[in-house]
Amino acid sequence: MNKEVDYKAWLEQGGAQTEAGRNSRAYAIRTIEKNLAALGMPFKDLDEAWEGDRFVALRARLKQMRDDARSGGQDYRLLMPDSENPHNRLANWGSWLGQYGRFLAGELPGSSKDADRIRQYVLEHYIEPAREDGRGQVEVLVREVNAALGLNQAWPNICQALKGRIFQDLAQVPPPEQVGADQSSATVFRFDVRGRRISRPALEKLRTRFLALCPDFRSFVEPGTGWAHGEKAYKVAAIGRVQSALSGDATDELLGRSVFEILKTAAKDGPLVRWQTEDAIAKNTPDLLAEFHTAIGRLVRSEEAPEVALSTAHAAFDGLRSRGATSLTYGERINILSSALAMVHPKAMAPLKITRINEVWETLTGEKLFVEASADIGADYRRLADGFDEICEIMRDEWRWEPQDWLDIQGFLWIANDKTTEVPAKPNEAAASNENAETPMSISPVNLILYGPPGTGKTFSTATEAVRLCGEPVPQDRAELMAVYQRLVAAGRIEFVTFHQSMSYEDFIEGRQPMTGVDGDGEAESSGFRLETVHGVFRRIAKRAETSRGRSSGDDMIRLEGRQVFKMSIGEANNPEDAHLFEEAIEGGYTLLGFDDIDWSDEKYASREAIFEACKNHRDGGDLDPRSGWVQMPFRFRNWVRQGDIVIVSKGNQQFRAIGEFVGDYEFKPRPEGGYAHRRAVRWLWADRDGVPVSEIYSRGFMQQSIYLLYDSELNIPALERYMNSQRNDGDCEPDQFVLIIDEINRANISKVFGELITLLEADKRLNQPNAVRVRLPYSGDEFGVPSNLHILGTMNTADRSIALLDTALRRRFTFREMMPDASILKDAAEKCRIDLPQLLTKINERIEYLYDREHQIGHAYFTACRSQADVDEVMRHKVIPLLAEYFFEDWAKIAAVLGDLEPGEGSISGGFLKRAILNPPPGLEDGDAVARFRWQVRSVDEGFDYSKLVGT
C-alpha cells in the first residue's frame, strides 16, 4: 500500500480524529490488498481493482465472508485469523474499503463540510465501537454530536446527515429508526449495526398488518385456512405442473410455451403473468413468438446459477423488445422471468410484480429494487437475495415462522403490503360501525398552511411538501428536488396559484366567460358571442384527481417516445344519435371511422390514388379530388396509423374524452345499418365521458377533421403520459396524488373565493369518505365533490395579516405549521461574507419583536444567497431597511434602534447604517418653542455599512 501516508492525511482532513482510528483503517486496507489473490481477485493491487470495477467484486467477496461467518464458517480467517468478532469487523472493513475508493477517486476530504465531519464522527465513535463490542444496535443523541464537534445548534444538519443515503452507504447500515422529536437536540437515531439493510421497524409494521389479515396464521407450516394458505397453494400447484412439463423431452420452445400457459392460468383471479404480453407478441410480431417461448424454456431448464440464468434470459427478452416485441416492457420482463425461475428454484426466486416489489422494497430499505434506468439484473438479483435471506433469518430465528422457501417470503410481503384490503374490524368495532357506510379510501387528504414572517422559506418549502404529498421520493439536493417538482407540474399533478385582493369564486372554482362563435379551426357559428361555463384552477385539478384510478408513474409506465399521436372523432359528440358509437367503441376495444363503406383491406389501397379512384367510382364521379375528406380520412386511418400509436378521441373541438393505444391493423366490419365500417383494435387507457379541456394536453383546439396527426411540439407530453397511465390499476395501488399550492392564501377574501368548498374540504366529507358530500354548482349545474387524493398547501405571510384575523371556518379545516426565522441556516453564507449573519439576523429580530411583535420578524431567506459583504449591503439597503420603514411607518428612530444606530440625546448620529443630522428651525422659532427635528439618511454606497455594532464585533 504505497499511498498509506496520503490516505491517513486524507482521513484526518475528512474528520477521522483519532490516530488509532486512522491506523485501523490503513491496516484493513493493507491486509485486503495483501490477500487479493487469496480472495480470488484477478488484480495485483487495489489501484488496479478500483480501475477494474470500482471494488464491486471485492465488496461482494467481503459480503460473502460475512454471510459465511454468520453461518459459522471460517472463510473470514483469510483476512483476520485471530478475530473473535469477524462479522462486525468485516462490516467495518467493507465500509472502510468504500472510503478508500473515494480517496482513490480523488474526492476532496470534507474538512470544510459539517456533514462529512458529522458522518465521520458518528461512524468512528458510535457505529464501529458498537460493532467491536458485539452490540446489535447503537443510539446517537443529536445533542451529544453537536457538543462533541463544537457546532452551533446544528440540529437539522446533524439529522439530515445521519438520515441520508450517503451515511448509510458509508457505515453499511439500514435507514435508522428515529426516536423522539424531529430535528431537535433531543432527537435520537437508533442504528442496526449488524450490516443489515432491512429496516426492522418497517418490517415489524408489515408483520402486524400480515397477522391482522391472516388471523389464524401460526407459521408457514401451519398457515391456517385463510389468505396465507391460498397465496402459496396455487403457486405450489403451478410448480407441480411445471415439473411435469420438465420431465418430458419437449424442445425449449415447447417447454417455454407450456410454462407460460401454466403461469398465466395458475390462479383464476391472480395469474402469475399477464396473458396480454404473449398475445401482443403473437399479433404484432408473430415471427418472434418462438424465440419468446424458447427463452423461457432455456431459463427453467438452465443449470447455471440463478443470477446467471436470469441475466441470460433477460438479455434475450431485451433483444426481442428491440426487434419489435414492445409488450416486453421492463416490468413484464421481471415478472415473467422471476415467475418462471421460481417454478424450478423456489428457494432462490419468487414471482415478482415490479410495482409491488419496488413499493415494499422502498419501505424496507429506502430505495427501489428494480429501476430500468440503472438496470443490472445480476446485481439486482443479489440485492434481492441479500434482503430475502435477511428476512428469512428473522422469520426463522425470531418469529419462529418456519419459512420453507422464497415463496413464503414473497407471499408475506404481497399480503402485508396490499393496500386494497381493509384489516377486518374487531367484533365490537364492527357492531358499532354503520353497515351501509361506504368503505373509506386509505388516502388521508392534507390541508396545510405554512405561516410565518416574510423570508422564512414558506413558498420555498411548498416544493418539498408537494413532492412528498405526491408520493415521490424527496431528493436532498435542491436542484434535483426542483427537477422532480417541475416534472410533476408539467404532468398536471401540482398546480400553483397566488391569491390576491381581486381573486374571485369565478377564477377559482368556475364562472361564465364570453366566447365567440369560433369553434376550433372552423368558421364562426355566429357574429356575436355566447357565455360558457369555464372551470377555474381548483375544478381543473380536482377533475384530474377524480379521474385518476391508479399510479401514472413507475418503471412500467407507457411512454410516448417513438409513437405518433392522432386526434380522432367517433361520431358527432353533440349528436344523441351517435352517442352509442363511442360507448360501443370503448366496450368493444376498437375505434371507428365513417365515410364510404368500401373495404380498404387490399394492399393496393396503400396508395392515395387507389383510394381516390375507388371513392370516385363509388360516388359516380362527383365533386371529389385527392384532398377531399372522403379520400384523406380513410387514407390516414389505413396507412398512417401504426400499432403502438396513440389515439385521442375528441368531444367537440375543445375537449377530449378517451385515450387509447392502437393494437391492431385496419379491419372492414360492415354494419347492418351502414356507416362506420372501418375499425382498428384499440387498448383504451383512459376514458371520461364528461370530457376534459384539450388545453390540458394540447396547446390549441382540435380541428374538425375526423383523424389527423397532432404536432409533437404542441403536445404537453408529461400531462398526456399521466393521463395515459392514470387509469392503469391492477388493484394493488392507490391513485395518483395531486397538490394545489395557494400562495399568499390570506390576501384574498376567503369566504368569497372558496364558497361551498369551505364544507367540501373537510377530510371526512371528501369523495369516497364516510360522510362524502357533493353540492350542485351554480353556473354549470354540475354535482361536485372534492377527491380524497387532492391535497391543498397554502402559505401565509403573518406580516400582511395576522392569523388571528383569518376566516374561522378555514382555520378549523386546515392544519397550520409555523415557519419562523432560523439563523443557523446562514452559517455557510456567513463564512463566505465574513459577517456573522446568524448574529445579525438574531439581533434584528429580537429588536423587532420588542418594538413591534414576533410576526413581523425578518426571515433568513433574505440572506441565504449572499456570497460577499457587497451582497449583504444590497440586501440591507434595498430590502431590510425599506421593510423596516414600512413596519414602523417611517419612524426612523425605531428603525435606528433595530439596526443598533440609535444613541441617547438629541445630537447628530453617524451609525453603521443610518446618519442623523439636526435640522435648524425656521426663523422665529429659535427661542425654545421649536421641537428638535432630524434628517435621517441611509449611508451611501461609497460610505458602505459598518456591521460591528450590530453584530457585536
Side-chain angles (χ1 to χ4, degrees):
M1 183 182 174
N2 54 14
K3 299 179 180 178
E4 182 170 343
V5 174
D6 292 339
Y7 176 51
K8 287 183 178 179
W10 184 86
L11 287 171
E12 186 173 12
Q13 293 176 40
Q17 299 175 339
T18 66
E19 183 177 359
R22 297 192 292 273
N23 289 338
S24 296
R25 286 163 172 75
Y27 171 78
I29 300 304
R30 274 201 317 273
T31 304
I32 292 172
E33 187 171 56
K34 186 172 62 176
N35 288 281
L36 284 174
L39 292 170
M41 297 293 111
F43 310 112
K44 65 179 181 180
D45 55 29
L46 287 178
D47 286 24
E48 187 177 296
W50 177 254
E51 290 297 325
D53 67 355
R54 295 298 191 266
F55 293 162
V56 170
L58 194 49
R59 294 186 76 175
R61 182 70 175 91
L62 293 179
K63 169 67 168 57
Q64 184 183 37
M65 286 181 125
R66 294 207 317 271
D67 293 342
D68 179 71
R70 183 184 293 161
S71 303
Q74 302 293 308
D75 190 21
Y76 70 90
R77 296 196 183 278
L78 286 172
L79 296 179
M80 36 192 80
D82 301 320
S83 177
E84 297 299 326
N85 193 8
H87 184 265
N88 287 338
R89 288 195 69 195
L90 284 166
N92 285 342
W93 283 31
S95 68
W96 296 343
L97 185 64
Q99 203 172 40
Y100 188 66
R102 291 169 55 204
F103 162 72
L104 292 179
E107 286 192 21
L108 293 175
S111 56
S112 63
K113 292 176 60 178
D114 284 344
D116 284 342
R117 292 177 60 214
I118 292 165
R119 296 184 191 106
Q120 189 65 51
Y121 179 83
V122 173
L123 177 66
E124 188 172 322
H125 291 79
Y126 288 88
I127 305 296
E128 292 169 4
R131 284 180 174 146
E132 291 297 329
D133 294 343
R135 286 177 281 158
Q137 292 181 332
V138 64
E139 292 185 352
V140 180
L141 176 61
V142 167
R143 184 190 305 116
E144 293 178 353
V145 177
N146 184 81
L149 294 178
L151 302 175
N152 182 21
Q153 298 184 351
W155 330 129
N157 295 348
I158 297 172
C159 293
Q160 188 173 9
L162 297 185
K163 286 195 296 186
R165 179 65 188 274
I166 295 175
F167 182 70
Q168 293 165 31
D169 286 343
L170 173 67
Q172 292 199 327
V173 292
E177 177 185 359
Q178 182 174 314
V179 182
D182 185 31
Q183 294 198 357
S184 80
S185 61
T187 303
V188 173
F189 290 105
R190 183 176 295 144
F191 288 96
D192 186 323
V193 299
R194 290 167 289 191
R196 293 178 169 177
R197 300 297 299 175
I198 300 296
S199 167
R200 286 304 298 268
L203 187 63
E204 290 296 336
K205 286 183 180 178
L206 292 178
R207 177 176 183 249
T208 300
R209 179 169 171 79
F210 175 83
L211 292 174
L213 292 169
C214 306
D216 62 345
F217 177 86
R218 296 294 176 269
S219 72
F220 290 109
V221 176
E222 300 179 74
T225 59
W227 193 350
H229 174 270
E231 183 62 30
K232 185 169 183 178
Y234 77 89
K235 297 170 191 168
V236 172
I239 288 175
R241 294 168 63 193
V242 170
Q243 295 296 338
S244 297
L246 266 171
S247 63
D249 56 357
T251 63
D252 288 339
E253 178 189 349
L254 291 176
L255 175 61
R257 184 184 303 170
S258 299
V259 169
F260 194 85
E261 184 67 25
I262 294 167
L263 295 177
K264 73 184 185 184
T265 58
K268 179 180 178 182
D269 299 323
L272 294 171
V273 298
R274 297 171 69 251
W275 62 266
Q276 292 93 334
T277 304
E278 180 189 48
D279 191 56
I281 296 174
K283 287 182 178 179
N284 303 335
T285 51
D287 54 316
L288 301 181
L289 190 59
E291 294 182 53
F292 169 73
H293 290 141
T294 298
I296 297 174
R298 287 175 179 167
L299 174 65
V300 297
R301 193 168 266 159
S302 174
E303 296 182 358
E304 296 179 303
E307 64 188 272
V308 177
L310 202 60
S311 298
T312 302
H314 186 270
F317 272 15
D318 198 25
L320 293 178
R321 178 171 170 80
S322 67
R323 290 161 55 196
T326 55
S327 62
L328 283 174
T329 63
Y330 181 60
E332 287 298 291
R333 280 174 263 159
I334 297 299
N335 176 214
I336 295 170
L337 297 178
S338 65
S339 299
L341 190 60
M343 297 297 99
V344 289
H345 295 295
K347 293 183 181 296
M349 182 46 83
L352 304 174
K353 301 272 189 182
I354 189 169
T355 301
R356 195 72 153 262
I357 190 66
N358 274 346
E359 186 177 75
V360 73
W361 207 258
E362 195 165 15
T363 298
L364 291 173
T365 70
E367 61 184 3
K368 292 181 179 179
L369 179 60
F370 296 106
V371 180
E372 186 171 12
S374 57
D376 180 341
I377 197 66
D380 293 341
Y381 173 82
R382 289 192 293 274
R383 289 166 61 207
L384 175 71
D386 289 344
F388 269 38
D389 285 348
E390 194 172 318
I391 295 171
C392 181
E393 180 184 332
I394 294 169
M395 287 179 168
R396 183 190 65 227
D397 299 342
E398 298 181 30
W399 299 353
R400 301 290 190 253
W401 279 10
E402 302 179 84
Q404 307 297 300
D405 49 37
W406 281 24
L407 301 182
D408 290 333
I409 300 167
Q410 183 268 339
F412 159 75
L413 296 176
W414 181 270
I415 294 171
N417 197 53
D418 182 87
K419 293 182 174 62
T420 64
T421 305
E422 292 291 327
V423 174
K426 296 178 182 178
N428 58 337
E429 294 173 347
S433 67
N434 182 352
E435 294 180 1
N436 297 319
E438 186 176 359
T439 302
M441 295 179 68
S442 58
I443 301 168
S444 179
V446 171
N447 298 328
L448 172 66
I449 290 179
L450 307 176
Y451 72 98
T456 52
K458 298 180 294 297
T459 305
F460 193 72
S461 298
T462 57
T464 300
E465 287 293 330
V467 169
R468 182 183 64 79
L469 288 171
C470 282
E472 299 276 338
V474 180
Q476 294 184 6
D477 179 76
R478 181 65 189 176
E480 294 178 11
L481 170 67
M482 292 311 298
V484 176
Y485 174 82
Q486 294 298 340
R487 171 171 58 79
L488 293 170
V489 169
R493 291 180 58 191
I494 297 175
E495 285 276 4
F496 185 99
V497 61
T498 301
F499 274 11
H500 49 80
Q501 288 84 349
S502 299
M503 195 75 177
S504 67
Y505 177 92
E506 288 75 13
D507 298 319
F508 193 57
I509 311 296
E510 67 172 22
R512 290 288 182 90
Q513 292 184 10
M515 296 288 183
T516 66
V518 175
D519 188 7
D521 290 347
E523 297 180 356
E525 295 172 354
S526 69
S527 59
F529 65 86
R530 64 189 184 277
L531 289 174
E532 285 193 359
T533 301
V534 176
H535 293 178
V537 62
F538 190 87
R539 275 213 69 182
R540 291 197 299 271
I541 193 169
K543 179 75 167 180
R544 293 174 213 150
E546 186 177 359
T547 57
S548 176
R549 300 286 184 269
R551 292 186 179 171
S552 66
S553 59
D555 300 315
D556 60 345
M557 71 177 290
I558 302 171
R559 300 190 180 275
L560 277 179
E561 186 178 0
R563 304 173 189 258
Q564 301 178 102
V565 181
F566 290 87
K567 172 266 177 184
M568 192 169 179
S569 54
I570 301 179
E572 296 180 28
N574 296 320
N575 184 353
E577 295 183 1
D578 284 356
H580 70 283
L581 294 173
F582 178 75
E583 298 299 331
E584 176 189 323
I586 296 297
E587 292 297 324
Y590 50 77
T591 187
L592 296 166
L593 183 72
F595 298 94
D596 293 324
D597 285 357
I598 303 173
D599 186 356
W600 306 114
S601 301
D602 195 295
E603 283 300 318
K604 67 180 180 180
Y605 292 118
S607 161
R608 189 191 307 269
E609 289 72 20
I611 292 180
F612 170 57
E613 290 298 327
C615 288
K616 191 165 61 172
N617 293 336
H618 184 77
R619 294 179 159 267
D620 297 325
D623 188 16
L624 282 179
D625 64 58
R627 295 171 298 176
S628 169
W630 296 92
V631 177
Q632 290 273 61
M633 301 305 116
F635 176 75
R636 293 172 183 171
F637 188 68
R638 184 199 185 281
N639 297 311
W640 282 12
V641 175
R642 304 189 302 256
Q643 292 191 36
D645 287 345
I646 300 299
V647 57
I648 299 174
V649 180
S650 61
K651 184 180 183 181
N653 286 0
Q654 300 301 326
Q655 291 186 308
F656 66 98
R657 52 179 172 171
I659 302 172
E661 177 189 16
F662 287 109
V663 294
D665 295 327
Y666 168 81
E667 296 179 280
F668 180 65
K669 298 284 188 180
R671 305 163 67 87
E673 65 275 22
Y676 292 95
H678 310 292
R679 289 187 187 180
R680 275 184 177 271
V682 170
R683 178 166 66 116
W684 294 111
L685 305 172
W686 174 91
D688 178 13
R689 287 157 179 81
D690 293 335
V692 171
V694 66
S695 58
E696 293 272 304
I697 59 170
Y698 200 54
S699 61
R700 58 173 72 184
F702 289 140
M703 293 189 292
Q704 293 178 338
Q705 300 176 32
S706 297
I707 180 171
Y708 67 94
L709 267 171
L710 298 178
Y711 296 109
D712 290 346
S713 59
E714 305 283 350
L715 285 168
N716 182 339
I717 292 177
L720 179 53
E721 288 185 338
R722 180 185 61 75
Y723 274 108
M724 288 163 50
N725 292 277
S726 65
Q727 293 183 359
R728 297 174 62 227
N729 186 358
D730 296 330
D732 61 349
C733 61
E734 294 175 347
D736 276 334
Q737 307 297 295
F738 294 76
V739 179
L740 175 62
I741 301 172
I742 306 174
D743 202 26
E744 306 287 0
I745 193 171
N746 56 319
R747 296 188 66 198
N749 184 328
I750 295 298
S751 59
K752 174 185 173 184
V753 174
F754 273 71
E756 56 275 292
L757 281 188
I758 291 294
T759 298
L760 302 182
L761 287 178
E762 292 189 51
D764 69 322
K765 293 181 175 60
R766 299 290 190 98
L767 298 180
N768 296 310
Q769 295 297 340
N771 300 315
V773 172
R774 288 181 181 268
V775 298
R776 192 168 297 280
L777 298 177
Y779 290 105
S780 64
D782 295 339
E783 284 197 346
F784 176 69
V786 179
S788 295
N789 55 328
L790 173 57
H791 311 284
I792 302 174
L793 291 179
T795 68
M796 178 175 164
N797 187 343
T798 54
D800 280 348
R801 182 178 176 188
S802 170
I803 190 173
L805 301 177
L806 197 62
D807 190 300
T808 304
L810 191 72
R811 293 181 65 189
R812 185 169 66 81
R813 289 166 172 85
F814 277 78
T815 299
F816 285 78
R817 181 188 300 169
E818 186 177 55
M819 296 188 67
M820 297 301 288
D822 184 354
S824 66
I825 291 176
L826 300 178
K827 186 175 180 182
D828 289 342
E831 292 180 1
K832 295 181 176 67
C833 301
R834 300 186 181 279
I835 296 174
D836 191 348
L837 293 178
Q839 179 73 355
L840 180 148
L841 185 66
T842 300
K843 289 286 188 183
I844 288 176
N845 282 334
E846 285 176 350
R847 292 164 182 174
I848 291 174
E849 187 171 359
Y850 179 86
L851 294 169
Y852 201 159
D853 60 35
R854 70 189 297 273
E855 293 181 345
H856 285 75
Q857 295 181 55
I858 291 175
H860 50 266
Y862 282 99
F863 298 98
T864 51
C866 293
R867 296 293 180 267
S868 65
Q869 180 170 336
D871 291 342
V872 181
D873 288 352
E874 282 288 304
V875 171
M876 294 295 295
R877 184 180 304 278
H878 298 298
K879 294 183 179 180
V880 175
I881 293 176
L883 185 62
L884 293 175
E886 179 184 338
Y887 281 177
F888 296 110
F889 302 97
E890 305 289 335
D891 185 342
W892 287 94
K894 289 184 178 179
I895 299 169
V898 171
L899 297 174
D901 287 346
L902 190 64
E903 296 177 3
E906 297 182 349
S908 299
I909 294 176
S910 180
F913 301 92
L914 303 178
K915 298 185 295 182
R916 186 177 77 177
I918 301 173
L919 291 174
N920 294 321
L925 296 178
E926 299 97 334
D927 298 331
D929 293 334
V931 177
R933 297 187 182 277
F934 309 99
R935 174 189 295 120
W936 288 92
Q937 288 180 298
V938 180
R939 288 172 62 129
S940 69
V941 174
D942 291 337
E943 291 173 311
F945 291 149
D946 181 1
Y947 296 86
S948 58
K949 187 183 295 186
L950 179 58
V951 299
T953 58

Coordinates of all heavy atoms in Angstrom, one line a residue, residues 457-485:
G457 N -38.9 31.1 4.0 CA -38.9 30.0 3.1 C -40.2 29.2 3.0 O -40.2 28.0 2.7
K458 N -41.3 29.9 3.2 CA -42.6 29.2 3.1 C -42.9 28.7 1.7 O -43.2 27.6 1.4 CB -43.7 30.2 3.6 CG -43.6 30.6 5.0 CD -44.7 31.5 5.4 CE -44.7 32.9 4.7 NZ -43.4 33.6 5.0
T459 N -42.8 29.7 0.7 CA -43.0 29.3 -0.7 C -42.0 28.3 -1.1 O -42.2 27.3 -1.9 CB -43.0 30.5 -1.6 OG1 -43.9 31.5 -1.1 CG2 -43.3 30.2 -3.0
F460 N -40.7 28.5 -0.7 CA -39.6 27.6 -1.0 C -39.9 26.2 -0.5 O -39.6 25.2 -1.1 CB -38.4 28.2 -0.3 CG -37.1 27.6 -0.7 CD1 -36.5 27.9 -1.9 CD2 -36.4 26.7 0.2 CE1 -35.3 27.3 -2.3 CE2 -35.1 26.2 -0.1 CZ -34.6 26.5 -1.4
S461 N -40.6 26.1 0.7 CA -40.8 24.8 1.3 C -42.0 24.1 0.7 O -42.1 22.8 0.8 CB -41.1 24.9 2.8 OG -40.0 25.5 3.5
T462 N -42.9 24.8 -0.1 CA -44.0 24.1 -0.7 C -43.6 23.1 -1.7 O -44.3 22.1 -1.9 CB -45.0 25.1 -1.3 OG1 -44.3 25.9 -2.3 CG2 -45.6 26.0 -0.3
A463 N -42.4 23.3 -2.3 CA -42.0 22.4 -3.3 C -41.7 21.0 -2.7 O -42.1 20.0 -3.2 CB -40.7 22.9 -4.1
T464 N -41.0 21.1 -1.5 CA -40.7 19.8 -0.8 C -41.9 19.1 -0.4 O -42.1 17.9 -0.5 CB -39.8 20.1 0.4 OG1 -38.6 20.8 0.0 CG2 -39.5 18.9 1.2
E465 N -42.9 19.9 0.2 CA -44.1 19.3 0.7 C -44.9 18.7 -0.4 O -45.5 17.7 -0.3 CB -44.9 20.4 1.5 CG -44.4 20.8 2.8 CD -44.5 19.6 3.8 OE1 -45.4 18.7 3.7 OE2 -43.6 19.5 4.7
A466 N -45.0 19.5 -1.5 CA -45.8 19.0 -2.7 C -45.3 17.7 -3.3 O -46.0 16.8 -3.6 CB -45.9 20.1 -3.8
V467 N -43.9 17.6 -3.4 CA -43.3 16.4 -3.9 C -43.6 15.2 -3.0 O -43.9 14.1 -3.4 CB -41.8 16.6 -4.2 CG1 -41.1 15.3 -4.4 CG2 -41.6 17.6 -5.3
R468 N -43.5 15.5 -1.7 CA -43.7 14.4 -0.7 C -45.2 14.0 -0.8 O -45.5 12.8 -0.7 CB -43.4 14.9 0.7 CG -43.6 13.9 1.8 CD -43.3 14.5 3.2 NE -44.2 15.5 3.5 CZ -45.4 15.3 4.0 NH1 -45.9 14.1 4.1 NH2 -46.2 16.3 4.3
L469 N -46.1 14.9 -0.8 CA -47.5 14.5 -0.9 C -47.9 13.8 -2.2 O -48.8 13.0 -2.2 CB -48.4 15.8 -0.7 CG -48.4 16.4 0.7 CD1 -49.1 17.8 0.6 CD2 -49.1 15.5 1.7
C470 N -47.2 14.1 -3.2 CA -47.4 13.3 -4.5 C -46.9 11.9 -4.4 O -47.0 11.2 -5.4 CB -46.8 14.1 -5.7 SG -47.7 15.5 -6.2
G471 N -46.2 11.5 -3.3 CA -45.7 10.2 -3.2 C -44.4 9.9 -3.8 O -44.0 8.8 -4.0
E472 N -43.7 11.0 -4.2 CA -42.4 10.8 -4.8 C -41.3 11.0 -3.8 O -41.4 11.7 -2.8 CB -42.2 11.9 -5.9 CG -43.2 11.9 -7.0 CD -42.8 10.9 -8.1 OE1 -41.6 10.6 -8.2 OE2 -43.7 10.5 -8.9
P473 N -40.1 10.3 -4.0 CA -39.0 10.4 -3.1 C -38.6 11.9 -3.1 O -38.5 12.5 -4.2 CB -37.9 9.5 -3.6 CG -38.7 8.5 -4.5 CD -39.9 9.2 -5.0
V474 N -38.2 12.5 -2.0 CA -37.8 13.9 -1.9 C -36.3 13.9 -1.9 O -35.6 13.6 -0.9 CB -38.3 14.6 -0.7 CG1 -37.9 16.0 -0.6 CG2 -39.9 14.4 -0.6
P475 N -35.6 14.4 -3.0 CA -34.2 14.5 -3.1 C -33.7 15.5 -2.1 O -34.3 16.5 -1.8 CB -33.9 14.9 -4.5 CG -35.1 14.6 -5.3 CD -36.3 14.8 -4.3
Q476 N -32.5 15.2 -1.6 CA -31.9 16.2 -0.6 C -31.3 17.4 -1.4 O -31.3 18.5 -0.9 CB -30.8 15.5 0.2 CG -31.3 14.4 1.2 CD -30.3 13.9 2.0 OE1 -29.1 14.3 2.0 NE2 -30.6 12.8 2.8
D477 N -30.8 17.1 -2.6 CA -30.2 18.2 -3.4 C -31.4 19.1 -3.9 O -32.3 18.6 -4.5 CB -29.4 17.6 -4.6 CG -28.8 18.7 -5.4 OD1 -27.8 19.3 -5.0 OD2 -29.3 18.9 -6.6
R478 N -31.2 20.4 -3.8 CA -32.3 21.3 -4.2 C -32.5 21.3 -5.7 O -33.7 21.3 -6.1 CB -31.9 22.7 -3.8 CG -32.9 23.8 -4.1 CD -34.2 23.6 -3.3 NE -35.3 24.4 -3.8 CZ -36.5 24.4 -3.3 NH1 -36.8 23.5 -2.4 NH2 -37.4 25.2 -3.8
A479 N -31.5 21.2 -6.5 CA -31.7 21.2 -8.0 C -32.5 19.9 -8.4 O -33.3 20.0 -9.2 CB -30.3 21.2 -8.7
E480 N -32.1 18.8 -7.8 CA -32.8 17.5 -8.1 C -34.3 17.6 -7.6 O -35.2 17.2 -8.3 CB -32.1 16.3 -7.4 CG -30.7 16.0 -7.9 CD -30.1 14.9 -7.2 OE1 -30.8 14.2 -6.4 OE2 -28.9 14.7 -7.4
L481 N -34.5 18.2 -6.4 CA -35.9 18.4 -5.9 C -36.7 19.2 -6.9 O -37.8 18.9 -7.3 CB -35.8 19.1 -4.6 CG -37.2 19.5 -4.0 CD1 -38.1 18.3 -3.7 CD2 -37.0 20.4 -2.8
M482 N -36.1 20.3 -7.4 CA -36.9 21.2 -8.3 C -37.1 20.5 -9.7 O -38.2 20.8 -10.3 CB -36.2 22.5 -8.5 CG -36.1 23.4 -7.3 SD -37.7 23.6 -6.5 CE -38.7 24.4 -7.8
A483 N -36.2 19.6 -10.1 CA -36.5 18.9 -11.3 C -37.7 18.0 -11.2 O -38.5 17.9 -12.1 CB -35.2 18.1 -11.7
V484 N -37.8 17.3 -10.0 CA -39.0 16.5 -9.7 C -40.2 17.3 -9.7 O -41.3 17.0 -10.2 CB -38.8 15.7 -8.4 CG1 -40.0 14.9 -8.1 CG2 -37.6 14.7 -8.5
Y485 N -40.1 18.4 -9.0 CA -41.3 19.3 -8.8 C -41.8 19.8 -10.2 O -43.0 19.8 -10.5 CB -40.8 20.5 -7.9 CG -41.9 21.6 -7.8 CD1 -42.9 21.5 -6.9 CD2 -41.8 22.8 -8.6 CE1 -43.9 22.5 -6.8 CE2 -42.7 23.8 -8.5 CZ -43.8 23.7 -7.6 OH -44.7 24.7 -7.5

